[in-house]
Amino acid sequence: MARGDLTDDEWAVIEPLLPLGERGPIPGLRRLVNGVMWRFRTGSPCRDMPPYGSWSTDYGRFHLWAGAGVFQALMEAAIVEAAARGQAELGLVSVDSTSARAHHRAAGMMLDPELLETLEKAVAEGKGLLRLRPAKLGRSRGGLTSKVHLSADRRCRPPSFVLTPGQAADSPRFTAVLERIKVRGPVGRSRTRPDAVAADKTYSSRANRAYLRRRKIRAVIPEKTDQAANRKKRGSRGGRPVSHDAASYKERNRAERCINKIKEWRGLATRHDKTPAGYLAGLHLRGAVIWLRSLQPV
């Protein structure tokens, strides 16, 4: 077993969730998953993959599984395993985002949205053999970038990811990140509501606070200075002052520490994949590994 490969215990959790071939189990599955992990961990092209198997087979199967959501299912299975051992809790969840600069290999053809819609309509009316999809790459000061919005629990593990172009604002994705949280226990319904959510002032909007109140989630988000001044200017019509738990807010760094763990894999710190499905699959695979390696023996 090479450095960074899956251990026997980790493979025992992952193996039952991988797809089967038309004629039964696919040989060399563990080697294939380890090869995909090596690729994202080092940020190297598939052609440079060490002897984990045929690089073309690994490349094709990875993108097939990425489109089918297999890697997202792996992360969800790791969360289920943590919940079954009583090691998954949603007392406090932190929300944050990070930008990933796109490598020149990831910068494919950029199309205007109207032109993209016209092309897809033309293809749909034809044979339907080709589908053009936005690459979720955006232009910012750093050039072509993607932005990863995520949540993190108290042990710096990611329950959910949302991928957007790099120039996308953080606050509007707050609800999307929280709605993707799902912790399925051994019995009963899945838990989707944390007790409290910590985030910085970027997420301090009336819409986000109303969403948390509606779901009965405690907000640990400081108020912006201009929002406080505007509320005071309106007097009694401005509403009550925003409560803020300074002690719980100190735990918001869990999200930043989770981002550091994710970016230990160079293929995620810098985006190398052309397709958003491929890059998001790498994020889910990294999330699955973080969850698996945080499990303690029962």
Side-chain angles (χ1 to χ4, degrees):
M1 185 177 71
R3 186 178 71 87
D5 286 356
L6 294 170
T7 65
D8 293 339
D9 292 338
E10 293 164 356
W11 178 246
V13 178
I14 287 179
E15 183 180 17
L17 299 163
L18 295 176
L20 297 176
E22 295 180 356
R23 299 180 181 179
I26 301 172
L29 272 185
R30 184 171 180 176
R31 186 174 63 245
L32 185 150
V33 175
N34 285 329
V36 172
M37 289 174 57
W38 179 90
R39 177 200 162 202
F40 279 105
R41 193 170 67 247
T42 62
S44 300
C46 285
R47 289 178 180 267
D48 296 337
M49 190 179 293
Y52 282 107
S54 170
W55 73 266
S56 58
T57 301
D58 291 356
Y59 178 84
R61 190 160 291 149
F62 165 74
H63 283 283
L64 181 65
W65 287 358
V70 172
F71 295 97
Q72 182 177 354
L74 291 181
M75 191 176 87
E76 293 173 354
I79 297 174
V80 169
E81 181 66 19
R85 300 187 185 189
Q87 299 174 22
E89 58 90 20
L90 293 177
L92 177 70
V93 166
S94 302
V95 176
D96 208 343
S97 70
T98 183
S99 293
R101 179 71 182 270
H103 193 271
H104 64 82
R105 291 200 302 264
M109 180 173 59
M110 302 296 291
L111 296 176
D112 180 78
E114 295 183 359
L115 176 59
L116 179 66
E117 184 179 355
T118 302
L119 290 173
E120 286 200 337
K121 184 178 179 180
V123 171
E125 293 175 352
K127 296 182 179 180
L129 298 177
L130 174 67
R131 294 292 290 171
L132 297 171
R133 295 296 183 189
K136 292 194 182 294
L137 288 173
R139 287 201 174 272
S140 60
R141 289 185 178 181
L144 288 174
T145 55
S146 291
K147 185 174 284 188
V148 181
H149 309 262
L150 57 85
S151 58
D153 68 356
R154 279 188 162 123
R155 295 181 60 184
C156 308
R157 302 173 298 185
S160 60
F161 292 106
V162 172
L163 183 65
T164 63
Q167 79 277 11
D170 292 347
S171 186
R173 277 76 193 177
F174 180 77
T175 57
V177 171
L178 294 180
E179 287 175 354
R180 281 171 171 75
I181 295 176
K182 181 182 294 185
V183 177
R184 189 168 72 246
V187 294
R189 294 186 299 176
S190 302
R191 186 175 178 187
T192 59
R193 280 189 307 184
D195 297 331
V197 173
D200 58 25
K201 293 182 179 180
T202 304
Y203 300 92
S204 178
S205 69
R206 295 179 63 183
N208 289 342
R209 293 184 185 277
Y211 171 81
L212 294 177
R213 282 197 302 270
R214 188 166 61 251
R215 299 191 67 193
K216 298 180 180 179
I217 301 173
R218 183 165 59 92
V220 186
I221 307 173
E223 189 177 25
K224 289 184 177 180
T225 304
D226 59 339
Q227 291 176 344
N230 185 54
R231 175 176 48 77
K232 292 178 181 178
K233 187 188 301 183
R234 298 182 63 188
S236 60
R237 294 179 301 168
R240 297 178 180 178
V242 174
S243 60
H244 174 55
D245 187 351
S248 298
Y249 186 70
K250 292 180 180 178
E251 299 188 46
R252 190 191 63 84
N253 61 58
R254 266 57 172 181
E256 296 171 353
R257 289 157 61 184
C258 178
I259 290 170
N260 289 339
K261 285 186 177 182
I262 291 169
K263 289 195 170 184
E264 288 177 1
W265 284 16
R266 295 183 179 182
L268 298 178
T270 301
R271 175 175 166 175
H272 293 259
D273 288 82
K274 286 183 181 292
T275 64
Y279 184 68
L280 194 57
L283 291 171
H284 284 129
L285 179 59
R286 179 55 175 151
V289 173
I290 291 174
W291 276 92
L292 288 174
R293 292 180 176 170
S294 71
L295 298 178
Q296 300 173 356
V298 179

